[in-house]
Amino acid sequence: MASRRDLKKKITYIAGDLFLASLMEGINREVVIEAVHSVLALVPRISHTEPGNVKGFYKKLNEDLNKEIKIVADELAKITKA
């Protein structure tokens, strides 16, 4: 169970870092806040893994997390180019 707890903590820390990115000037806060909400929505999913497909479950969870991080990274890239 410790690995699930650690994973939940890591996702929460990532959400906190993404939220801090929303405080920067010139960034679209709505997009970043929506990404933060999506990342935090992943935490309850960790507690209910699919019994027959654990590896696939965590692979999908990782893909969803990376997708939300990429959204915020793209927003940050927009303001650094401007």
Side-chain angles (χ1 to χ4, degrees):
M1 277 306 175
S3 61
R4 284 187 185 181
R5 184 176 65 227
D6 291 341
L7 183 58
K8 288 178 185 180
K9 284 182 181 180
K10 287 178 184 178
I11 289 176
T12 304
Y13 292 146
I14 289 170
D17 290 343
L18 295 179
F19 178 73
L20 287 176
S22 74
L23 300 176
M24 295 177 64
E25 287 294 319
I27 196 163
N28 187 351
R29 285 184 173 82
E30 291 82 22
V31 173
V32 175
I33 296 299
E34 184 64 33
V36 170
H37 284 293
S38 299
V39 168
L40 288 175
L42 298 176
V43 173
R45 283 178 47 189
I46 296 169
S47 298
H48 305 289
T49 57
E50 298 171 7
N53 189 15
V54 176
K55 185 176 180 180
F57 173 81
Y58 284 108
K59 184 176 179 181
K60 173 76 169 122
L61 184 79
N62 191 23
E63 290 171 359
D64 292 345
L65 180 62
N66 288 336
K67 180 182 74 166
E68 297 302 327
I69 292 171
K70 182 160 175 36
I71 289 171
V72 176
D74 291 344
E75 283 295 314
L76 290 174
K78 286 180 189 176
I79 64 166
T80 56
K81 289 182 181 179

PDB file of all heavy atoms in Angstrom, residues 3-30:
ATOM      1  N   SER A   3       3.184   2.148  -1.907  1.00  0.00           N
ATOM      2  CA  SER A   3       3.403   2.684  -3.240  1.00  0.00           C
ATOM      3  C   SER A   3       2.192   3.494  -3.715  1.00  0.00           C
ATOM      4  O   SER A   3       2.356   4.495  -4.402  1.00  0.00           O
ATOM      5  CB  SER A   3       3.712   1.562  -4.224  1.00  0.00           C
ATOM      6  OG  SER A   3       2.630   0.666  -4.291  1.00  0.00           O
ATOM      7  N   ARG A   4       0.993   3.080  -3.344  1.00  0.00           N
ATOM      8  CA  ARG A   4      -0.190   3.871  -3.691  1.00  0.00           C
ATOM      9  C   ARG A   4      -0.163   5.211  -2.975  1.00  0.00           C
ATOM     10  O   ARG A   4      -0.476   6.241  -3.555  1.00  0.00           O
ATOM     11  CB  ARG A   4      -1.474   3.132  -3.313  1.00  0.00           C
ATOM     12  CG  ARG A   4      -1.833   2.029  -4.245  1.00  0.00           C
ATOM     13  CD  ARG A   4      -3.188   1.481  -3.879  1.00  0.00           C
ATOM     14  NE  ARG A   4      -3.495   0.330  -4.702  1.00  0.00           N
ATOM     15  CZ  ARG A   4      -4.612  -0.345  -4.616  1.00  0.00           C
ATOM     16  NH1 ARG A   4      -5.518  -0.012  -3.721  1.00  0.00           N
ATOM     17  NH2 ARG A   4      -4.835  -1.364  -5.394  1.00  0.00           N
ATOM     18  N   ARG A   5       0.204   5.195  -1.717  1.00  0.00           N
ATOM     19  CA  ARG A   5       0.263   6.433  -0.938  1.00  0.00           C
ATOM     20  C   ARG A   5       1.298   7.374  -1.543  1.00  0.00           C
ATOM     21  O   ARG A   5       1.062   8.577  -1.676  1.00  0.00           O
ATOM     22  CB  ARG A   5       0.583   6.124   0.516  1.00  0.00           C
ATOM     23  CG  ARG A   5       0.569   7.364   1.401  1.00  0.00           C
ATOM     24  CD  ARG A   5       0.797   7.052   2.860  1.00  0.00           C
ATOM     25  NE  ARG A   5       2.136   6.523   3.060  1.00  0.00           N
ATOM     26  CZ  ARG A   5       2.413   5.449   3.778  1.00  0.00           C
ATOM     27  NH1 ARG A   5       1.456   4.780   4.386  1.00  0.00           N
ATOM     28  NH2 ARG A   5       3.653   5.034   3.913  1.00  0.00           N
ATOM     29  N   ASP A   6       2.455   6.841  -1.913  1.00  0.00           N
ATOM     30  CA  ASP A   6       3.501   7.663  -2.518  1.00  0.00           C
ATOM     31  C   ASP A   6       3.038   8.240  -3.847  1.00  0.00           C
ATOM     32  O   ASP A   6       3.315   9.402  -4.162  1.00  0.00           O
ATOM     33  CB  ASP A   6       4.777   6.849  -2.716  1.00  0.00           C
ATOM     34  CG  ASP A   6       5.446   6.490  -1.401  1.00  0.00           C
ATOM     35  OD1 ASP A   6       5.144   7.147  -0.383  1.00  0.00           O
ATOM     36  OD2 ASP A   6       6.262   5.544  -1.405  1.00  0.00           O
ATOM     37  N   LEU A   7       2.345   7.435  -4.625  1.00  0.00           N
ATOM     38  CA  LEU A   7       1.837   7.905  -5.908  1.00  0.00           C
ATOM     39  C   LEU A   7       0.825   9.031  -5.719  1.00  0.00           C
ATOM     40  O   LEU A   7       0.846  10.033  -6.441  1.00  0.00           O
ATOM     41  CB  LEU A   7       1.210   6.745  -6.684  1.00  0.00           C
ATOM     42  CG  LEU A   7       0.696   7.053  -8.079  1.00  0.00           C
ATOM     43  CD1 LEU A   7       1.821   7.593  -8.957  1.00  0.00           C
ATOM     44  CD2 LEU A   7       0.102   5.809  -8.700  1.00  0.00           C
ATOM     45  N   LYS A   8      -0.038   8.893  -4.729  1.00  0.00           N
ATOM     46  CA  LYS A   8      -1.013   9.954  -4.446  1.00  0.00           C
ATOM     47  C   LYS A   8      -0.306  11.241  -4.034  1.00  0.00           C
ATOM     48  O   LYS A   8      -0.684  12.333  -4.447  1.00  0.00           O
ATOM     49  CB  LYS A   8      -1.966   9.511  -3.336  1.00  0.00           C
ATOM     50  CG  LYS A   8      -2.948   8.459  -3.766  1.00  0.00           C
ATOM     51  CD  LYS A   8      -3.832   8.049  -2.594  1.00  0.00           C
ATOM     52  CE  LYS A   8      -4.738   6.901  -2.964  1.00  0.00           C
ATOM     53  NZ  LYS A   8      -5.590   6.498  -1.837  1.00  0.00           N
ATOM     54  N   LYS A   9       0.737  11.121  -3.223  1.00  0.00           N
ATOM     55  CA  LYS A   9       1.488  12.295  -2.797  1.00  0.00           C
ATOM     56  C   LYS A   9       2.173  12.966  -3.981  1.00  0.00           C
ATOM     57  O   LYS A   9       2.168  14.190  -4.101  1.00  0.00           O
ATOM     58  CB  LYS A   9       2.530  11.922  -1.748  1.00  0.00           C
ATOM     59  CG  LYS A   9       1.967  11.666  -0.380  1.00  0.00           C
ATOM     60  CD  LYS A   9       3.071  11.350   0.607  1.00  0.00           C
ATOM     61  CE  LYS A   9       2.510  11.061   1.983  1.00  0.00           C
ATOM     62  NZ  LYS A   9       3.590  10.758   2.945  1.00  0.00           N
ATOM     63  N   LYS A  10       2.760  12.167  -4.854  1.00  0.00           N
ATOM     64  CA  LYS A  10       3.445  12.724  -6.018  1.00  0.00           C
ATOM     65  C   LYS A  10       2.467  13.470  -6.918  1.00  0.00           C
ATOM     66  O   LYS A  10       2.772  14.556  -7.412  1.00  0.00           O
ATOM     67  CB  LYS A  10       4.152  11.621  -6.797  1.00  0.00           C
ATOM     68  CG  LYS A  10       5.377  11.100  -6.105  1.00  0.00           C
ATOM     69  CD  LYS A  10       6.027   9.981  -6.879  1.00  0.00           C
ATOM     70  CE  LYS A  10       7.195   9.409  -6.096  1.00  0.00           C
ATOM     71  NZ  LYS A  10       7.833   8.291  -6.786  1.00  0.00           N
ATOM     72  N   ILE A  11       1.295  12.904  -7.123  1.00  0.00           N
ATOM     73  CA  ILE A  11       0.294  13.566  -7.962  1.00  0.00           C
ATOM     74  C   ILE A  11      -0.171  14.863  -7.308  1.00  0.00           C
ATOM     75  O   ILE A  11      -0.351  15.876  -7.975  1.00  0.00           O
ATOM     76  CB  ILE A  11      -0.884  12.615  -8.256  1.00  0.00           C
ATOM     77  CG1 ILE A  11      -0.421  11.527  -9.223  1.00  0.00           C
ATOM     78  CG2 ILE A  11      -2.072  13.366  -8.830  1.00  0.00           C
ATOM     79  CD1 ILE A  11      -1.449  10.484  -9.528  1.00  0.00           C
ATOM     80  N   THR A  12      -0.316  14.863  -6.003  1.00  0.00           N
ATOM     81  CA  THR A  12      -0.712  16.080  -5.293  1.00  0.00           C
ATOM     82  C   THR A  12       0.377  17.148  -5.413  1.00  0.00           C
ATOM     83  O   THR A  12       0.072  18.330  -5.615  1.00  0.00           O
ATOM     84  CB  THR A  12      -1.001  15.770  -3.818  1.00  0.00           C
ATOM     85  OG1 THR A  12      -1.996  14.742  -3.750  1.00  0.00           O
ATOM     86  CG2 THR A  12      -1.498  16.993  -3.086  1.00  0.00           C
ATOM     87  N   TYR A  13       1.644  16.758  -5.319  1.00  0.00           N
ATOM     88  CA  TYR A  13       2.737  17.707  -5.475  1.00  0.00           C
ATOM     89  C   TYR A  13       2.761  18.276  -6.891  1.00  0.00           C
ATOM     90  O   TYR A  13       2.998  19.476  -7.086  1.00  0.00           O
ATOM     91  CB  TYR A  13       4.088  17.064  -5.157  1.00  0.00           C
ATOM     92  CG  TYR A  13       4.270  16.696  -3.713  1.00  0.00           C
ATOM     93  CD1 TYR A  13       5.003  15.576  -3.357  1.00  0.00           C
ATOM     94  CD2 TYR A  13       3.708  17.453  -2.680  1.00  0.00           C
ATOM     95  CE1 TYR A  13       5.180  15.225  -2.028  1.00  0.00           C
ATOM     96  CE2 TYR A  13       3.878  17.107  -1.353  1.00  0.00           C
ATOM     97  CZ  TYR A  13       4.611  15.996  -1.041  1.00  0.00           C
ATOM     98  OH  TYR A  13       4.791  15.655   0.279  1.00  0.00           O
ATOM     99  N   ILE A  14       2.529  17.431  -7.876  1.00  0.00           N
ATOM    100  CA  ILE A  14       2.487  17.896  -9.267  1.00  0.00           C
ATOM    101  C   ILE A  14       1.354  18.896  -9.448  1.00  0.00           C
ATOM    102  O   ILE A  14       1.522  19.933 -10.096  1.00  0.00           O
ATOM    103  CB  ILE A  14       2.341  16.704 -10.233  1.00  0.00           C
ATOM    104  CG1 ILE A  14       3.642  15.898 -10.263  1.00  0.00           C
ATOM    105  CG2 ILE A  14       1.973  17.177 -11.637  1.00  0.00           C
ATOM    106  CD1 ILE A  14       3.537  14.577 -10.986  1.00  0.00           C
ATOM    107  N   ALA A  15       0.196  18.612  -8.858  1.00  0.00           N
ATOM    108  CA  ALA A  15      -0.932  19.539  -8.954  1.00  0.00           C
ATOM    109  C   ALA A  15      -0.582  20.874  -8.310  1.00  0.00           C
ATOM    110  O   ALA A  15      -0.945  21.936  -8.829  1.00  0.00           O
ATOM    111  CB  ALA A  15      -2.173  18.939  -8.301  1.00  0.00           C
ATOM    112  N   GLY A  16       0.131  20.842  -7.196  1.00  0.00           N
ATOM    113  CA  GLY A  16       0.561  22.081  -6.542  1.00  0.00           C
ATOM    114  C   GLY A  16       1.503  22.884  -7.421  1.00  0.00           C
ATOM    115  O   GLY A  16       1.388  24.113  -7.521  1.00  0.00           O
ATOM    116  N   ASP A  17       2.427  22.199  -8.079  1.00  0.00           N
ATOM    117  CA  ASP A  17       3.358  22.885  -8.974  1.00  0.00           C
ATOM    118  C   ASP A  17       2.616  23.481 -10.176  1.00  0.00           C
ATOM    119  O   ASP A  17       2.932  24.583 -10.626  1.00  0.00           O
ATOM    120  CB  ASP A  17       4.437  21.925  -9.464  1.00  0.00           C
ATOM    121  CG  ASP A  17       5.405  21.524  -8.364  1.00  0.00           C
ATOM    122  OD1 ASP A  17       5.440  22.223  -7.320  1.00  0.00           O
ATOM    123  OD2 ASP A  17       6.109  20.520  -8.537  1.00  0.00           O
ATOM    124  N   LEU A  18       1.640  22.750 -10.691  1.00  0.00           N
ATOM    125  CA  LEU A  18       0.856  23.275 -11.807  1.00  0.00           C
ATOM    126  C   LEU A  18       0.057  24.495 -11.373  1.00  0.00           C
ATOM    127  O   LEU A  18      -0.092  25.454 -12.128  1.00  0.00           O
ATOM    128  CB  LEU A  18      -0.084  22.196 -12.358  1.00  0.00           C
ATOM    129  CG  LEU A  18       0.581  20.981 -12.993  1.00  0.00           C
ATOM    130  CD1 LEU A  18      -0.481  19.993 -13.459  1.00  0.00           C
ATOM    131  CD2 LEU A  18       1.468  21.383 -14.147  1.00  0.00           C
ATOM    132  N   PHE A  19      -0.463  24.459 -10.148  1.00  0.00           N
ATOM    133  CA  PHE A  19      -1.199  25.615  -9.639  1.00  0.00           C
ATOM    134  C   PHE A  19      -0.290  26.825  -9.523  1.00  0.00           C
ATOM    135  O   PHE A  19      -0.685  27.947  -9.844  1.00  0.00           O
ATOM    136  CB  PHE A  19      -1.847  25.303  -8.293  1.00  0.00           C
ATOM    137  CG  PHE A  19      -2.567  26.480  -7.712  1.00  0.00           C
ATOM    138  CD1 PHE A  19      -3.775  26.887  -8.254  1.00  0.00           C
ATOM    139  CD2 PHE A  19      -2.028  27.188  -6.661  1.00  0.00           C
ATOM    140  CE1 PHE A  19      -4.437  27.985  -7.738  1.00  0.00           C
ATOM    141  CE2 PHE A  19      -2.678  28.283  -6.137  1.00  0.00           C
ATOM    142  CZ  PHE A  19      -3.892  28.686  -6.681  1.00  0.00           C
ATOM    143  N   LEU A  20       0.941  26.630  -9.062  1.00  0.00           N
ATOM    144  CA  LEU A  20       1.885  27.744  -8.977  1.00  0.00           C
ATOM    145  C   LEU A  20       2.155  28.338 -10.354  1.00  0.00           C
ATOM    146  O   LEU A  20       2.361  29.547 -10.485  1.00  0.00           O
ATOM    147  CB  LEU A  20       3.189  27.290  -8.329  1.00  0.00           C
ATOM    148  CG  LEU A  20       3.125  27.041  -6.828  1.00  0.00           C
ATOM    149  CD1 LEU A  20       4.451  26.506  -6.320  1.00  0.00           C
ATOM    150  CD2 LEU A  20       2.741  28.301  -6.087  1.00  0.00           C
ATOM    151  N   ALA A  21       2.135  27.509 -11.371  1.00  0.00           N
ATOM    152  CA  ALA A  21       2.326  28.014 -12.735  1.00  0.00           C
ATOM    153  C   ALA A  21       1.182  28.930 -13.142  1.00  0.00           C
ATOM    154  O   ALA A  21       1.377  29.855 -13.930  1.00  0.00           O
ATOM    155  CB  ALA A  21       2.434  26.848 -13.715  1.00  0.00           C
ATOM    156  N   SER A  22      -0.002  28.706 -12.592  1.00  0.00           N
ATOM    157  CA  SER A  22      -1.143  29.542 -12.956  1.00  0.00           C
ATOM    158  C   SER A  22      -1.017  30.949 -12.382  1.00  0.00           C
ATOM    159  O   SER A  22      -1.733  31.857 -12.812  1.00  0.00           O
ATOM    160  CB  SER A  22      -2.447  28.910 -12.480  1.00  0.00           C
ATOM    161  OG  SER A  22      -2.575  29.038 -11.078  1.00  0.00           O
ATOM    162  N   LEU A  23      -0.133  31.151 -11.433  1.00  0.00           N
ATOM    163  CA  LEU A  23       0.041  32.467 -10.830  1.00  0.00           C
ATOM    164  C   LEU A  23       0.949  33.377 -11.651  1.00  0.00           C
ATOM    165  O   LEU A  23       1.084  34.555 -11.332  1.00  0.00           O
ATOM    166  CB  LEU A  23       0.588  32.313  -9.412  1.00  0.00           C
ATOM    167  CG  LEU A  23      -0.291  31.519  -8.453  1.00  0.00           C
ATOM    168  CD1 LEU A  23       0.399  31.360  -7.111  1.00  0.00           C
ATOM    169  CD2 LEU A  23      -1.650  32.163  -8.288  1.00  0.00           C
ATOM    170  N   MET A  24       1.549  32.855 -12.693  1.00  0.00           N
ATOM    171  CA  MET A  24       2.427  33.658 -13.537  1.00  0.00           C
ATOM    172  C   MET A  24       1.606  34.632 -14.369  1.00  0.00           C
ATOM    173  O   MET A  24       0.454  34.365 -14.720  1.00  0.00           O
ATOM    174  CB  MET A  24       3.261  32.758 -14.451  1.00  0.00           C
ATOM    175  CG  MET A  24       4.236  31.867 -13.709  1.00  0.00           C
ATOM    176  SD  MET A  24       5.144  30.779 -14.787  1.00  0.00           S
ATOM    177  CE  MET A  24       6.055  31.951 -15.760  1.00  0.00           C
ATOM    178  N   GLU A  25       2.212  35.753 -14.698  1.00  0.00           N
ATOM    179  CA  GLU A  25       1.551  36.756 -15.529  1.00  0.00           C
ATOM    180  C   GLU A  25       1.426  36.266 -16.969  1.00  0.00           C
ATOM    181  O   GLU A  25       2.320  35.611 -17.493  1.00  0.00           O
ATOM    182  CB  GLU A  25       2.358  38.061 -15.524  1.00  0.00           C
ATOM    183  CG  GLU A  25       2.255  38.819 -14.236  1.00  0.00           C
ATOM    184  CD  GLU A  25       0.847  39.342 -13.973  1.00  0.00           C
ATOM    185  OE1 GLU A  25       0.204  39.812 -14.921  1.00  0.00           O
ATOM    186  OE2 GLU A  25       0.406  39.256 -12.821  1.00  0.00           O
ATOM    187  N   GLY A  26       0.312  36.573 -17.592  1.00  0.00           N
ATOM    188  CA  GLY A  26       0.117  36.275 -19.002  1.00  0.00           C
ATOM    189  C   GLY A  26      -0.329  34.860 -19.311  1.00  0.00           C
ATOM    190  O   GLY A  26      -0.466  34.496 -20.473  1.00  0.00           O
ATOM    191  N   ILE A  27      -0.549  34.049 -18.307  1.00  0.00           N
ATOM    192  CA  ILE A  27      -0.952  32.672 -18.556  1.00  0.00           C
ATOM    193  C   ILE A  27      -2.473  32.561 -18.477  1.00  0.00           C
ATOM    194  O   ILE A  27      -3.111  33.289 -17.729  1.00  0.00           O
ATOM    195  CB  ILE A  27      -0.270  31.700 -17.567  1.00  0.00           C
ATOM    196  CG1 ILE A  27      -0.373  30.267 -18.059  1.00  0.00           C
ATOM    197  CG2 ILE A  27      -0.845  31.833 -16.190  1.00  0.00           C
ATOM    198  CD1 ILE A  27       0.595  29.340 -17.373  1.00  0.00           C
ATOM    199  N   ASN A  28      -3.032  31.695 -19.280  1.00  0.00           N
ATOM    200  CA  ASN A  28      -4.473  31.476 -19.274  1.00  0.00           C
ATOM    201  C   ASN A  28      -4.812  30.639 -18.038  1.00  0.00           C
ATOM    202  O   ASN A  28      -4.653  29.426 -18.026  1.00  0.00           O
ATOM    203  CB  ASN A  28      -4.899  30.769 -20.558  1.00  0.00           C
ATOM    204  CG  ASN A  28      -6.386  30.660 -20.689  1.00  0.00           C
ATOM    205  OD1 ASN A  28      -7.136  30.956 -19.756  1.00  0.00           O
ATOM    206  ND2 ASN A  28      -6.833  30.243 -21.855  1.00  0.00           N
ATOM    207  N   ARG A  29      -5.297  31.297 -17.004  1.00  0.00           N
ATOM    208  CA  ARG A  29      -5.533  30.636 -15.722  1.00  0.00           C
ATOM    209  C   ARG A  29      -6.612  29.565 -15.804  1.00  0.00           C
ATOM    210  O   ARG A  29      -6.539  28.559 -15.121  1.00  0.00           O
ATOM    211  CB  ARG A  29      -5.892  31.665 -14.660  1.00  0.00           C
ATOM    212  CG  ARG A  29      -4.703  32.446 -14.186  1.00  0.00           C
ATOM    213  CD  ARG A  29      -5.059  33.396 -13.057  1.00  0.00           C
ATOM    214  NE  ARG A  29      -3.885  34.035 -12.499  1.00  0.00           N
ATOM    215  CZ  ARG A  29      -3.299  35.096 -13.013  1.00  0.00           C
ATOM    216  NH1 ARG A  29      -3.792  35.631 -14.108  1.00  0.00           N
ATOM    217  NH2 ARG A  29      -2.234  35.618 -12.443  1.00  0.00           N
ATOM    218  N   GLU A  30      -7.619  29.795 -16.640  1.00  0.00           N
ATOM    219  CA  GLU A  30      -8.703  28.814 -16.733  1.00  0.00           C
ATOM    220  C   GLU A  30      -8.190  27.471 -17.240  1.00  0.00           C
ATOM    221  O   GLU A  30      -8.590  26.420 -16.736  1.00  0.00           O
ATOM    222  CB  GLU A  30      -9.820  29.325 -17.656  1.00  0.00           C
ATOM    223  CG  GLU A  30     -10.603  30.489 -17.095  1.00  0.00           C
ATOM    224  CD  GLU A  30      -9.900  31.822 -17.308  1.00  0.00           C
ATOM    225  OE1 GLU A  30      -9.049  31.933 -18.223  1.00  0.00           O
ATOM    226  OE2 GLU A  30     -10.191  32.749 -16.532  1.00  0.00           O
TER     227      GLU A  30
END
